[in-house]
Amino acid sequence: MTVLATATTTVTPESTQQAIGYPSLFLLVLIGALVPIVPTGALVSSAAVVAFHQTAPFSLALVFVTASTAAFLGDMSLYWLGRRGLGSKNGSRWLEAIRSRAPEERLTQAQEKLAEHGVAVLVLSRLVPAGRLPVMLACLLAEWTMRRFARGNLPACLAWAVTYQLIGILGGSLFSEPWEGVVAAVALTVLISAAPSLWRRVRPAK
């Protein structure tokens, strides 16, 4: 009975955390792909920090599978909605949402790079802060099929999940307490996300 009680107190909290954590991560990353105001990179990094400090096997692998799958499904859903908007006489709010986050200058650059390099640009777009939607819109305007977009989007989501998970693992390895690693990982992902816009503001002043 003592052994059972000990096992219950040590295993149950972590198991409960996983039962809640993975579905929550999936849902938040999926929503973040559809509504790009949720900091999905920070979510994946934070989840990786927590998984790094867990004793359960395959925790990090589950974070990777959950995040990459949710990102892929979210992107594909948004692309499908965008295609419907292009084919509609009245457009759609989803297409307008993509357009609003793809400034003309960045869209032009995305279209040029997409014409030159094809799928490789789509793969890299998820690793560049604020690069996903301009390239997605360029694919829509180039009338890429769902299948062609999926071929590029799958490795893009896998590379994205690995990148932000590595940031979380780095934060988890530097600090003994999970919350400290989470703070470090979130700070780093926010800095990475803000770097391009800060650079664009500083560059003209030179």
Side-chain angles (χ1 to χ4, degrees):
M1 291 296 291
T2 304
V3 174
L4 181 60
T6 303
T8 302
T9 56
T10 57
V11 174
T12 300
E14 192 167 291
S15 300
T16 302
Q17 186 180 55
Q18 290 179 349
I20 297 173
Y22 294 122
S24 299
L25 176 63
F26 181 89
L27 184 60
L28 288 172
V29 172
L30 182 67
I31 293 173
L34 288 168
V35 185
I37 57 174
V38 178
T40 52
L43 289 172
V44 175
S45 297
S46 300
V49 171
V50 176
F52 180 82
H53 285 280
Q54 288 181 342
T55 59
F58 310 118
S59 293
L60 288 170
L62 287 172
V63 169
F64 170 74
V65 171
T66 302
S68 57
T69 302
F72 178 77
L73 293 177
D75 283 356
M76 295 306 299
S77 299
L78 184 59
Y79 192 75
W80 178 76
L81 291 167
R83 280 174 58 87
R84 286 194 62 187
L86 283 176
S88 172
K89 292 181 179 180
N90 300 323
S92 73
R93 64 187 183 93
W94 294 102
L95 182 59
E96 289 304 314
I98 298 174
R99 287 185 183 277
S100 67
R101 293 182 175 271
E104 195 63 35
E105 179 184 352
R106 301 200 66 183
L107 174 59
T108 301
Q109 294 176 352
Q111 288 175 311
E112 292 173 352
K113 292 178 181 178
L114 192 66
E116 293 176 6
H117 305 290
V119 170
V121 176
L122 180 57
V123 174
L124 292 174
S125 69
R126 249 200 173 274
L127 301 179
V128 178
R132 179 177 69 105
L133 293 184
V135 173
M136 181 182 288
L137 182 57
C139 292
L140 286 168
L141 296 177
E143 298 184 349
W144 278 28
T145 63
M146 292 289 294
R147 179 178 295 183
R148 187 179 184 186
F149 181 78
R151 284 202 302 265
N153 191 48
L154 178 59
C157 291
L158 295 175
W160 170 83
V162 166
T163 299
Y164 282 98
Q165 188 164 1
L166 288 175
I167 294 174
I169 292 172
L170 176 63
S173 64
L174 292 176
F175 300 94
S176 58
E177 293 294 332
W179 71 267
E180 294 174 328
V182 169
V183 171
V186 170
L188 184 55
T189 53
V190 169
L191 180 62
I192 291 172
S193 299
S197 60
L198 290 175
W199 171 250
R200 285 194 295 271
R201 290 181 182 180
V202 172
R203 186 173 54 180
K206 292 184 178 182

